[in-house]
Amino acid sequence: MAGSVEVFGGGTAVITGAAAGVGAGLARHAALALGMNVVLADIDEAALQRTCAEITDEGGRATPAVVDVRDAAAVQSLADSVVKESGPLRLLVNNAGVLQFGYLWDIPVDGWERLVSINISGVFHGVRAFLPHLLRQSEPAWVLNLASIGAVTARPLQTPYIMSKHAVLSMTECLHQEVALAGARHIHVGAVLPGAVTSRIFDEAGGVDRGDLSAAEKEREAMFRVREHAMGPEEAAATILQQAADGEFYIVTQPDAVHAAMRDRAQQLTARRPPAPVRSRFTAQQPE
């Protein structure tokens, strides 16, 4: 099989949510290890500039783009400008995402709507803006959408996030079929299901302002414990892009944990069992 350098090296990549976490890891690996020209898109301008400066200081090619993935017109403008300035796109990673803690009935409406608009609509906007360009080009291209191990599991007190990742997974599965139906054999679609990867998503996650505030915060604390055992972003990025180069559709960072979750999900559906109590796959902690 081809290595990731052979597949992606020298091409142009666009990564959303690229200022920190998995997105920054992907940007750094793509630019520094694979020699790609990387466009980093994020809403956090200060963090974006820092990440781009770190990459360019180490000799990589990185261009910042302040973009809110909730804004369809802004994402379309990004797609049009990248293709105009850089030519054919090799890699699109729809990565931007946020998290929300709390019982579903306590979740603020604005917290729910923010998460859905970023985690689900943000992926849709990326696909809608870039796919027409990719369909017109003859060069091979990869579209990777970030789901999560949560896309094949259920977990209380993170319902909006889990729901959104199930949606991203099904969106990506349907997109894979649609690209094939359109005869676009040069476009490769992949669903990325990371396990625990170091990021600030738990710190920045929304909470609740009514109801059981302590339950929401206990879940956040549980996730901080999970993070202590998490994979580093650049190691995760190397794993993700190598699996994409290998032609995998279901791309995972920790095969033992994620594949076990997939098997459990399949068995649960086959047996028509209700969801079981949750225990983390990454620590010995019992569920809160």
Side-chain angles (χ1 to χ4, degrees):
M1 290 186 181
S4 55
V5 175
E6 296 172 83
V7 171
F8 297 113
T12 296
V14 173
I15 302 168
T16 69
V22 176
L26 284 162
R28 287 183 57 82
H29 184 76
L32 300 174
L34 306 184
M36 300 190 78
N37 171 34
V38 183
V39 178
L40 289 77
D42 204 289
I43 196 172
D44 187 338
E45 183 173 6
L48 186 62
Q49 294 290 353
R50 284 195 301 271
T51 302
C52 282
E54 290 169 1
I55 292 172
T56 55
D57 286 349
E58 294 181 47
R61 292 179 293 164
T63 304
V66 180
V67 176
D68 184 346
V69 298
R70 294 174 291 184
D71 184 340
V75 179
Q76 185 66 62
S77 178
L78 172 68
D80 295 344
S81 64
V82 168
V83 171
K84 181 179 179 180
E85 295 170 14
S86 303
L89 186 68
R90 185 78 51 82
L91 174 65
L92 168 66
V93 184
N94 290 304
N95 164 73
V98 296
L99 200 146
Q100 177 78 45
F101 293 122
Y103 283 113
L104 185 57
W105 51 86
D106 291 338
I107 299 295
V109 171
D110 59 352
W112 171 273
E113 292 177 345
R114 173 176 178 266
L115 184 144
V116 169
S117 66
I118 294 172
N119 292 16
I120 301 176
S121 297
V123 175
F124 164 66
H125 294 156
V127 169
R128 187 175 183 276
F130 282 92
L131 255 292
H133 290 294
L134 299 183
L135 288 166
R136 286 192 291 269
Q137 71 182 44
S138 57
E139 294 83 351
W142 279 256
V143 177
L144 306 183
N145 295 334
L146 264 288
S148 164
I149 187 174
V152 292
T153 61
R155 185 175 180 95
L157 300 166
Q158 295 186 38
T159 302
Y161 178 79
I162 297 295
M163 173 279 303
S164 74
K165 294 306 182 179
H166 278 255
V168 169
L169 177 58
S170 61
M171 190 192 313
T172 308
E173 290 170 333
C174 293
L175 178 63
H176 184 273
Q177 293 179 316
E178 291 185 350
V179 165
L181 186 63
R185 300 178 67 178
H186 65 290
I187 300 176
H188 309 271
V189 176
V192 184
L193 287 77
V197 178
T198 304
S199 77
R200 291 188 53 80
I201 192 169
F202 304 136
D203 308 76
E204 298 170 356
V208 298
D209 53 13
R210 66 170 217 183
D212 196 335
L213 278 63
S214 67
E217 290 311 305
K218 284 182 179 178
E219 180 66 6
R220 190 192 306 272
E221 292 166 8
M223 292 299 98
F224 287 155
R225 294 194 292 272
V226 167
R227 189 169 62 186
E228 294 173 4
H229 302 264
M231 176 182 284
E234 288 188 58
E235 181 183 358
T239 301
I240 289 166
L241 294 180
Q242 183 56 58
Q243 287 182 29
D246 290 342
E248 295 286 345
F249 175 79
Y250 295 104
I251 297 169
V252 305
T253 54
Q254 293 102 326
D256 290 347
V258 182
H259 291 166
M262 290 176 166
R263 288 192 296 271
D264 288 351
R265 178 69 172 172
Q267 291 167 5
Q268 177 199 335
L269 293 173
T270 301
R272 303 185 302 282
R273 294 194 308 266
V278 170
R279 177 171 178 165
S280 173
R281 296 181 180 278
F282 298 99
T283 74
Q285 292 289 337
Q286 294 292 337
E288 295 295 317

